C-alpha cells in the first residue's frame, strides 16, 4: 500500500479521478456507466475524498490539485447526475464541516484562476449543496469572504446563503443591509435588534450563527477589512459613521492591526500563524492555509 493511503487503491477510482482533474468527460462517463458506485466511492488516500471533491482541487494529492479543467462545470454536472453527494464531507485538512466540496472550492486557487468558481458554486447548489453549509451556519460564505474569493461570495448569496450579520453584508457590498446592522450613532446592532434574528446568538454580536462573539470595535473592524478585501469599499463608506482606530484588536482572529508606521510607509502584519482556530474555523499555518 502506498504511503498516505488508508485503504487499498481501486484502479477504477484512480482512473476516474484522473478523468475528473483532466476534464476527460467521455472517459469519466464510461467509467461511471461501468461502475455507478464510483460516484459515491472514496479515495484510498487518507483524505478519503470523493470524485466530486477533486473538482475543488484542494486538499487532495498535489499532482491532482494544480489546475482546474475548462469543463469542470460539465464534470461536476455529470458526477451529480450520477449520484455524487454535493455536501459529502471528507478528511482533507483533518476533516470536519469545512471539508465539503463547496467549502474546499471557495478556498481553492485553481478554480478561481480559471474563472470557474461562481459557475461551480451554482452547479453544486443546483445539485443539492446547502449554501449555508452542512451545519446551517454560513460556513461556505464565510470561507469565501475570508479568502477574498468575491465571485464565489456573490454566487453563494445568489444561491440563497443568508446575509445575517454586518460582516457578511459589508463583504457583499449590500449597503441596505449594512445600514440595518448599524445604529445611527455608528455602533453595530445585534441581529435581533436589526430585525433578522439568527438561529443562535440573535442578541449577541457575532459573525454568523456559530461564529466568534465579538464587541462593537471587533465587528466594525472585521466588516471594514472584508469589505475592502472583496472590493466593496463603497458599501462601507456610505453607511458607517464610525471607523475603528488603528491598533484595536481584530478579535475575530486574535491578531492585532498595527498603527501608522512612524518612519516608513511599509506596514508589517503579524504572521497568519497567530490566527487561532474558532467555531467552524480551523487554525491557519504561516502561509494562510488550514492546518490539519
Amino acid at each position: 500500500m502506498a504511503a498516505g493511503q488508508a485503504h487499498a487503491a481501486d484502479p477504477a477510482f484512480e482512473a476516474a479521478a484522473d478523468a475528473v482533474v483532466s476534464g476527460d468527460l467521455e472517459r469519466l462517463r464510461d467509467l461511471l456507466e461501468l461502475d455507478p458506485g464510483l460516484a459515491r466511492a472514496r479515495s484510498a488516500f487518507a483524505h478519503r475524498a470523493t470524485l466530486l471533491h477533486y473538482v475543488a482541487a484542494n486538499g487532495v494529492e498535489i499532482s491532482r490539485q494544480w489546475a482546474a479543467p475548462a469543463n469542470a462545470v460539465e464534470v461536476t454536472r455529470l458526477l451529480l447526475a450520477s449520484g455524487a453527494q454535493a455536501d459529502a464531507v471528507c478528511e482533507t485538512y483533518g476533516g470536519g464541516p469545512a471539508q465539503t466540496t463547496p467549502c474546499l472550492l471557495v478556498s481553492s486557487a485553481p478554480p478561481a484562476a480559471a474563472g470557474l468558481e461562481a459557475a461551480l458554486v451554482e452547479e453544486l447548489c443546483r445539485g443539492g449543496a446547502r449554501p449555508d453549509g452542512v451545519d446551517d451556519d454560513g460556513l461556505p460564505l464565510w470561507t469565501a469572504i475570508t479568502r477574498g474569493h468575491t465571485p464565489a461570495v456573490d454566487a453563494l448569496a445568489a444561491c440563497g446563503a443568508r446575509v445575517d450579520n454586518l460582516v457578511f453584508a459589508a463583504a457583499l457590498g449590500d449597503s441596505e443591509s449594512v445600514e440595518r446592522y448599524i445604529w445611527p450613532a455608528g455602533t453595530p446592532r445585534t441581529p435581533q435588534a436589526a430585525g433578522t434574528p439568527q438561529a443562535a446568538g440573535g442578541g449577541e454580536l457575532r459573525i454568523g450563527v456559530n461564529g466568534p462573539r465579538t464587541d462593537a470595535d471587533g465587528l466594525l473592524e472585521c466588516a471594514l477589512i472584508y469589505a475592502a478585501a472583496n472590493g466593496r469599499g463603497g458599501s462601507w463608506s456610505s453607511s458607517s459613521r464610525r471607523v475603528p482606530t488603528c491598533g484595536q484588536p481584530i478579535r475575530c482572529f486574535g491578531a492585532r492591526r498595527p498603527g501608522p508606521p512612524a518612519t516608513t510607509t511599509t506596514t508589517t502584519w503579524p504572521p497568519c500563524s497567530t490566527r487561532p482556530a474558532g467555531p467552524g474555523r480551523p487554525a491557519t499555518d504561516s502561509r494562510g492555509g488550514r492546518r490539519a
Side-chain angles (χ1 to χ4, degrees), residues 171-196:
L172 273 156
D174 185 346
S175 298
E176 183 177 339
S177 293
V178 168
E179 290 279 4
R180 188 169 68 247
Y181 283 110
I182 297 179
W183 291 106
T187 54
R189 303 175 195 251
T190 64
Q192 191 174 71
T196 55

Side-chain angles (χ1 to χ4, degrees), residues 191 199 209:
V209 174

Side-chain angles (χ1 to χ4, degrees), residues 41 76 107 138 146 204 244 259 281 286:
T76 300
S107 58
T146 57
E204 300 175 309
R281 186 189 71 248
S286 60

Side-chain angles (χ1 to χ4, degrees), residues 73-175:
V73 175
E74 289 75 15
V75 169
T76 300
R77 187 176 302 133
L78 174 60
L79 289 170
L80 291 168
S82 300
Q85 294 178 298
D87 271 334
V89 175
C90 66
E91 298 300 318
T92 50
Y93 304 108
Q99 310 313 311
T100 62
T101 301
C103 281
L104 291 168
L105 168 67
V106 301
S107 58
S108 178
L116 296 170
E117 61 180 350
L120 285 167
V121 165
E122 293 167 0
E123 195 64 40
L124 287 166
C125 289
R126 277 194 292 269
R130 287 163 282 186
D132 288 311
V134 294
D135 288 341
D136 196 38
D137 58 359
L139 185 56
L141 183 55
W142 180 229
T143 302
I145 287 170
T146 57
R147 300 308 191 276
H149 286 211
T150 307
V153 171
D154 292 338
L156 283 164
C159 288
R162 290 191 309 272
V163 182
D164 56 8
N165 64 84
L166 174 61
V167 177
F168 284 16
L172 273 156
D174 185 346
S175 298

Side-chain angles (χ1 to χ4, degrees), residues 7 11 66 98 118-119 133 160 162 218 222 227-229 249 271 275:
H7 303 270
W66 62 274
R162 290 191 309 272
C222 283
R275 172 180 156 186

